[in-house]
Amino acid sequence: MKQDMQSQPFEKLWHQLTSEESLSELDSDKHGLDSETVEQRLQQFGANHLPRAKGRSAIVRLLAQMHNLLIYVLLGAAFLTALLGHWIDFWVILAVVILNTLIGFVQEGKAEKALDAIKDMLAPHATVIRNGHRLRIEADKLVPGDVVVLEPGDKVPADLRLFSAKGLQIQEAVLTGESVAVEKHPQPVASDAVLGDRLCMAYSGTLVTSGQGHGVVVATGAHTEIGRISGMISDIENLTTPLLQQISVFSRWLTLVIMVIAALVFAYGYWLNQTPAIEMFMIVVGVAVAGIPEGLPAILTITLAIGVQRMASRNAIIRRLPAVETLGAVSIICSDKTGTLTRNEMTVSAVVSSANTYSISGVGYSPAGEITLQEQAVELEQQPTLTMLLRCAALCNDSTLKRRDDDWLAEGDPMEAAMLTAALKADFTLEELKQFYPRRDVIPFDTAHRFMATLHHDHQGHDFIAVKGAPEKLIELCQLQRTDNGDEPVDQSFWHAQIEKIAAEGQRVLAVATKTVAQHSGELQFADLDQGLVLLGLIGLIDPPREEAITAVSECHKAGIQVKMITGDHAATASAIAAKLGLRYTDTVLTGHELTQLSDAELQHAVNQTDVFARTAPEHKLRLVSALQANGHVVAMTGDGVNDAPALKRADVGIAMGHGGTEAAKEAAEMVLADDNFASIAKAVREGRTVYDNLKKAILFLLPINGGESLSIIVAVMAGMTLPITPLQILWINMVSSIALALSLAFEPGEKNAMHRQPRQRDEKMLSSFLVWRITFVSLLFVIGVYGMFLWTQSQGASLEQSRTYAVNTLVVMEVFYLFNVRCLSSASWSIKQWFTSYIVFLSIGLVIILQLIFTYAPFMNTLFETTPISLGHGMEIIAVGIVMYLILEIEKWLRRSITKKYQTGTAN
Ligand code: ATP
């Protein structure tokens, strides 16, 4: 690298230099850097990422935990008790506040960490040329001087000086605010050109919308234009979803209502019952602590974070948190075929020329296999058309094959790699092929035109074009077909019949064509293909369905979720694969062309009974999502290309491919599939349903306990009776035992029937009538249990401390049994197997039992909380109350289930 580069690496006016000058300034060339230089520059210039905005410091996070109304009330109470010299109360309140804050702090820290880890999984990638080889690397490993390849959908990974551009258009809105993409070219521009006019530069963070280009990295990390503007990325996403927001608004309202009730209770007790103000104040604190579901938002957040983490471990990476909830409501999954439903491990199995059908044996990318004609191995010299076809397929190709021990690995498009394998089976030497027929130009593959073309010359001064692409497209473009005896007019009906035949077996069909050109200018144009293209033949490729996708499709069907295949492939191939996968309606296939002929209303009707959409372009996907949504469905849709972004944005859950997807698709998506596998979508839906259930369970668990406790106090005050549980004891139960138990619900695995029920309605309310009923019913059971035990022991002559200790323990035991009811929302929780699906529940229960034993038997706790030890016999009575509660609730569930079933069969009849 030049001397001045080292001292001031990023300060040149690169746009004013020619591309050659830029490359030489950076001590690089078109073949890229070697590994040693990269290593050394990485040390020198650092990683290519913007400095991360610092997260909140631990102290700030800790203080934020204390920023809530209940804590203020408690601190106020602590202050007052201190003023009055009630030191025990003071210390208990303070200790509980500290304990609760610490629990919240640790939980939130865990949740944030989980999400950070997921963000790292989404680190952007870049395609570079190093040591003359094309590689895909993590974008933060780029260094100045690296040669980067740009393709549609890529996010430019660093500031680049372009040295080649073909139809390269880049959208630079992040830098210039201009949303129309600009066409780039490698020629230098004036030194005073503003950013938007520097057409030979590609800036980090901007988006390639079409074309191809190569550029050399001139600035990385904070030295890029975007780095200078924004300084750092603040990527801290709020840990929230619509449901969580609803709940936190609900909690705030509930807090307000409880404060009002507390004030009324105070007024009632003080003025009407003549209870001393100090005593009433402590009671009111008790009402507040009992009623306000303070721990709920924190528990919901951790439930969500754990769900996101679980999904990531199953290869579904959530980019936007609300998707976790939406996933549980998905009623239609629209999936790409190639690579998602199929394995994308392609093998050429047949070649059809105008005269012959050849078979090719072997599996995978290994070149073991042979080409046969009527079961006889062929001599290639006697098959000029076949030879030309395989040569063109290998030349019109951007993939490479790599041998690792006995394994052959494909790099690039698997379909192209399969063609290289076929060429190897015909004994071509790929390196030689490239040297004999160097490539001069290319029209890259694009889903819009569905073919790829390359221009080559040999060393005898002949130029020719090799084309491969969708067969209908190529038949349309070709006027001639090749035979071993020369060219003749193309026989369209013959070829269409052959295509149908191969496709009906579920094989992917590609056509290959060529054209000899006299002394080409060097720049390949679409117009070059207008005249004189000769069809060489068809290639049939096997791409088997993924076994796990077949299982996942059937699981989705059971879960009331329809699966639709939206593919760019041929209708017959798509339909055959769809049948193998077990999709419902595979006989009718709607093609992209037919789709454009339908009005919105017709399409809305057609989508109901069609599961296979073939030869579609990205804009069709958008119409399909809209039609399905108009039918009231919640739609998940997969996509990979830059043009899929609008459909992904429109879908309720946009899903981008992690391997094969572009950065543009990933950015538009709510979720990224790390393994591009359909089965992972089904798993994510199951996880989505589980998270939603767990959120519901946490609410259903905590609210009745709060309800029961506050009701007990209010009833006592109203009736002028002694409190069955003191405010300090309530503080203990709510902020220690309840939280420990509720937290275990966040870790609950999915219920057995999670994928056996219909998807949730999009607008289903969390606080449904069912939930409101359960909360009320269970609250009453708690009041009866606690009060019953208190009054009964009082009548047996127990002291006030003893009765209260019974009451507190009864409440906690009821909580433990209630936890088992709640773990199965609607199904019976009898099954012992079901009990042991999560060991965390038992950890929490174990912890709570130990805490309760300390609470009851440790002398210092007896002093602090005014408790007394109880006998084993009475302990048994308490457990009996818990069991009765458990049974009542199971009977209630059973009754509900029977009534719903009767109602359903009634309406079905
Ligand atoms: P899916 O949409 O399910 O991923 P697909 O890969 O068939 O399926 P596209 O990528 O849109 O969808 O491809 C459409 C068609 O274009 C293919 O069926 C094939 O005929 C042709 N094609 C795909 N890739 C190439 C390529 N690299 N070169 C030439 N033609 C191609």
Side-chain angles (χ1 to χ4, degrees):
M1 196 176 284
K2 300 268 155 65
Q3 207 46 49
D4 59 338
M5 263 294 305
Q6 287 197 350
S7 48
Q8 277 196 324
F10 305 103
E11 296 297 327
K12 288 229 148 26
L13 293 175
W14 300 101
H15 54 277
Q16 184 201 14
L17 304 181
T18 66
S19 50
E20 290 76 17
E21 282 167 351
S22 306
L23 279 164
S24 111
E25 281 289 336
L26 291 153
D27 253 3
S28 184
D29 63 32
K30 294 182 181 176
H31 302 291
L33 303 172
D34 56 45
S35 333
E36 210 176 297
T37 319
V38 169
E39 203 45 54
Q40 181 232 321
R41 290 191 189 181
L42 205 53
Q43 297 280 337
Q44 189 181 350
F45 300 113
N48 174 37
H49 57 64
L50 301 180
R52 285 226 165 146
K54 273 212 191 97
R56 292 178 303 164
S57 71
I59 288 287
V60 175
R61 285 203 298 123
L62 195 69
L63 288 179
Q65 288 295 327
M66 305 191 50
H67 176 54
N68 93 40
L69 193 57
L70 188 64
I71 299 285
Y72 292 151
V73 170
L74 288 175
L75 290 177
F79 180 68
L80 268 184
T81 47
L83 275 189
L84 295 168
H86 294 214
W87 291 107
I88 292 188
D89 293 0
F90 168 77
W91 286 115
V92 171
I93 298 176
L94 214 60
V96 171
V97 167
I98 291 172
L99 195 62
N100 186 266
T101 309
L102 283 179
I103 293 178
F105 176 73
V106 173
Q107 273 175 16
E108 199 190 77
K110 271 200 184 141
E112 277 187 7
K113 249 205 200 116
L115 292 185
D116 274 350
I118 284 160
K119 269 190 206 116
D120 289 342
M121 293 170 83
L122 287 168
H125 283 71
T127 309
V128 289
I129 297 182
R130 284 182 181 170
N131 295 320
H133 294 290
R134 203 182 144 112
L135 292 175
R136 194 116 182 103
I137 61 162
E138 280 170 22
D140 66 357
K141 302 268 159 37
L142 280 176
V143 294
D146 252 327
V147 171
V148 173
V149 184
L150 294 179
E151 278 169 347
D154 285 351
K155 203 158 167 196
V156 178
D159 285 1
L160 309 177
R161 171 65 172 89
L162 297 168
F163 59 80
S164 87
K166 191 164 172 57
L168 182 67
Q169 301 214 350
I170 297 189
Q171 201 252 44
E172 298 180 321
V174 271
L175 285 180
T176 60
E178 175 56 59
S179 60
V180 179
V182 210
E183 174 122 19
K184 297 280 178 175
H185 59 67
Q187 285 79 40
V189 294
S191 59
D192 58 353
V194 292
L195 213 72
D197 293 339
R198 298 181 192 166
L199 299 181
C200 57
M201 300 292 294
Y203 289 107
S204 179
T206 58
L207 192 71
V208 181
T209 55
S210 61
Q212 260 191 339
H214 290 79
V216 56
V217 174
V218 297
T220 57
H223 301 277
T224 57
E225 289 298 331
I226 186 104
R228 285 185 223 196
I229 296 174
S230 60
M232 52 186 61
I233 35 169
S234 64
D235 56 1
I236 298 170
E237 199 186 339
N238 271 344
L239 259 173
T240 193
T241 69
L243 174 69
L244 256 60
Q245 264 161 10
Q246 267 176 38
I247 296 292
S248 76
V249 171
F250 167 79
S251 307
R252 250 175 272 149
W253 276 107
L254 196 65
T255 306
L256 202 74
V257 171
I258 287 165
M259 297 311 262
V260 172
I261 294 178
L264 291 177
V265 168
F266 184 89
Y268 186 89
Y270 180 63
W271 278 295
L272 288 177
N273 282 359
Q274 312 283 311
T275 317
I278 286 302
E279 201 178 309
M280 263 335 284
F281 176 75
M282 283 311 286
I283 291 176
V284 162
V285 170
V287 172
V289 176
I292 299 173
E294 194 269 337
L296 191 58
I299 286 184
L300 298 187
T301 306
I302 190 112
T303 306
L304 202 71
I306 286 169
V308 170
Q309 208 173 17
R310 267 197 206 154
M311 286 185 190
S313 70
R314 287 171 177 65
N315 291 318
I317 305 163
I318 296 292
R319 288 193 68 244
R320 301 203 176 90
L321 280 180
V324 183
E325 272 169 32
T326 324
L327 268 171
V330 161
S331 61
I332 289 196
I333 304 175
C334 296
S335 172
D336 283 348
K337 172 178 75 69
T338 314
T340 313
L341 288 164
T342 66
R343 289 207 223 147
N344 210 5
E345 288 162 9
M346 308 232 184
T347 315
V348 175
S349 75
V351 172
V352 178
S353 70
S354 58
N356 297 315
T357 299
Y358 304 89
S359 301
I360 305 186
S361 61
V363 282
Y365 299 111
S366 143
E370 60 172 3
I371 306 179
T372 53
L373 177 61
Q374 288 158 357
E375 298 182 11
Q376 299 290 318
V378 294
E379 295 285 333
L380 227 58
E381 303 81 65
Q382 287 154 26
Q383 309 288 341
T385 310
L386 174 69
T387 310
M388 188 64 186
L389 183 147
L390 291 175
R391 180 186 300 149
C392 284
L395 287 172
C396 184
N397 200 309
D398 281 332
S399 292
T400 44
L401 285 178
K402 276 207 180 126
R403 188 178 185 164
R404 206 171 286 156
D405 305 326
D406 283 343
D407 240 11
W408 287 75
L409 303 175
E411 226 163 74
D413 183 344
M415 184 178 65
E416 294 189 345
M419 293 179 186
L420 296 181
T421 303
L424 288 178
K425 287 176 186 167
D427 291 334
F428 282 110
T429 312
L430 299 177
E431 286 305 316
E432 271 178 23
L433 209 58
K434 275 194 190 153
Q435 278 164 16
F436 282 153
Y437 308 105
R439 185 192 285 192
R440 294 175 59 195
D441 201 15
V442 57
I443 297 179
F445 170 75
D446 191 303
T447 41
H449 52 253
R450 292 204 186 100
F451 66 79
M452 168 175 174
T454 47
L455 174 66
H456 303 264
H457 66 84
D458 62 16
H459 296 290
Q460 285 86 48
H462 303 118
D463 290 356
F464 69 94
I465 300 171
V467 191
K468 72 172 192 320
E472 312 93 285
K473 182 74 192 180
L474 256 60
I475 292 172
E476 192 185 297
L477 284 173
C478 292
Q479 287 91 37
L480 299 169
Q481 65 188 34
R482 178 71 41 95
T483 74
D484 288 348
N485 306 317
D487 295 343
E488 57 186 34
V490 73
D491 178 354
Q492 296 223 1
S493 56
F494 166 77
W495 293 111
H496 281 297
Q498 296 300 320
I499 296 168
E500 290 297 327
K501 203 165 125 198
I502 309 176
E505 290 165 25
Q507 292 194 23
R508 200 176 162 91
V509 197
L510 226 75
V512 184
T514 188
K515 177 181 169 180
T516 312
V517 278
Q519 295 300 318
H520 197 281
S521 67
E523 189 156 337
L524 199 52
Q525 308 283 351
F526 281 93
D528 289 323
L529 308 176
D530 284 349
Q531 290 293 321
L533 206 58
V534 186
L535 186 64
L536 293 168
L538 304 175
I539 294 181
L541 298 114
I542 308 175
D543 178 18
R546 292 176 183 265
E547 284 303 320
E548 63 276 25
I550 300 177
T551 324
V553 166
S554 116
E555 190 184 20
C556 286
H557 284 163
K558 280 194 203 117
I561 301 167
Q562 299 175 40
V563 181
K564 305 207 181 265
M565 176 198 278
I566 306 185
T567 172
D569 214 336
H570 190 275
T573 313
S575 155
I577 294 283
K580 286 188 191 168
L581 284 162
L583 297 201
R584 288 228 169 92
Y585 307 106
T586 54
D587 292 341
T588 41
V589 177
L590 199 65
T591 63
H593 178 69
E594 288 162 351
L595 200 144
T596 37
Q597 317 283 315
L598 300 180
S599 70
D600 285 349
E602 286 166 335
L603 183 62
Q604 220 174 301
H605 180 70
V607 290
N608 285 330
Q609 305 244 317
T610 313
D611 277 352
V612 188
F613 302 86
R615 286 292 185 235
T616 51
E619 64 271 19
H620 302 137
K621 281 190 172 179
L622 186 60
R623 275 198 74 199
L624 278 171
V625 179
S626 310
L628 292 166
Q629 284 174 334
N631 284 342
H633 285 290
V634 178
V635 184
M637 158 81 84
T638 67
D640 46 16
V642 58
N643 300 330
D644 286 337
L648 293 182
K649 276 204 182 122
R650 176 73 206 240
D652 298 281
V653 184
I655 305 171
M657 299 300 148
H659 270 311
T662 56
E663 290 298 324
K666 287 183 202 166
E667 287 210 345
E670 267 87 25
M671 183 171 113
V672 176
L673 283 187
D675 60 354
D676 295 11
N677 189 341
F678 179 81
S680 302
I681 307 180
K683 284 186 195 143
V685 169
R686 170 187 263 278
E687 227 24 86
R689 290 185 175 196
T690 302
V691 170
Y692 198 83
D693 281 352
N694 288 353
L695 295 175
K696 222 171 176 173
K697 287 173 189 177
I699 294 173
L700 202 53
F701 180 72
L702 280 178
L703 290 189
I705 296 174
N706 288 99
E709 289 165 352
S710 32
L711 268 182
S712 305
I713 304 186
I714 294 168
V715 169
V717 173
M718 295 294 162
M721 296 189 331
T722 326
L723 292 185
I725 300 178
T726 68
L728 286 191
Q729 289 168 346
I730 286 196
L731 207 58
W732 164 263
I733 299 171
N734 268 16
M735 298 184 105
V736 182
S737 317
S738 301
I739 299 278
L741 289 175
L743 199 58
S744 71
L745 289 172
F747 296 89
E748 276 293 280
E751 284 189 43
K752 232 178 35 223
N753 69 354
M755 290 296 264
H756 290 185
R757 42 183 149 101
Q758 295 297 306
R760 187 182 88 232
Q761 292 296 314
R762 181 203 291 268
D763 48 6
E764 186 192 284
K765 287 213 171 58
M766 178 54 105
L767 288 172
S768 59
S769 52
F770 160 67
L771 240 69
V772 173
W773 148 252
R774 257 289 166 81
I775 292 168
T776 321
F777 181 55
V778 180
S779 299
L780 284 175
L781 288 181
F782 271 113
V783 175
I784 296 169
V786 171
Y787 239 109
M789 184 55 89
F790 178 77
L791 293 178
W792 184 68
T793 48
Q794 283 278 284
S795 71
Q796 301 282 307
S799 69
L800 186 59
E801 283 78 24
Q802 275 171 337
S803 292
R804 281 182 172 159
T805 312
Y806 288 130
V808 171
N809 280 305
T810 308
L811 192 101
V812 175
V813 167
M814 286 174 90
E815 276 186 346
V816 170
F817 279 96
Y818 181 47
L819 186 68
F820 282 97
N821 286 115
V822 164
R823 288 180 66 201
C824 300
L825 269 181
S826 53
S827 57
S829 61
W830 302 123
S831 134
I832 297 290
K833 217 165 119 199
Q834 184 85 23
W835 283 33
F836 290 95
T837 47
S838 154
Y839 70 94
I840 303 218
V841 171
F842 291 95
L843 272 186
S844 314
I845 294 177
L847 181 72
V848 168
I849 291 176
I850 294 171
L851 288 172
Q852 272 322 108
L853 290 176
I854 298 175
F855 177 84
T856 313
Y857 296 104
F860 74 96
M861 291 296 260
N862 294 155
T863 319
L864 288 180
F865 288 97
E866 296 173 23
T867 52
T868 54
I870 52 176
S871 72
L872 191 67
H874 285 120
M876 290 301 154
E877 285 162 15
I878 292 174
I879 293 175
V881 175
I883 295 176
V884 170
M885 153 116 169
Y886 174 77
L887 293 178
I888 293 177
L889 280 171
E890 282 304 307
I891 293 170
E892 181 258 2
K893 262 197 240 170
W894 176 76
L895 278 174
R896 280 185 69 88
R897 272 202 313 275
S898 330
I899 293 170
T900 329
K901 226 188 225 159
K902 227 187 218 153
Y903 175 73
Q904 277 168 353
T905 35
T907 46
N909 287 338

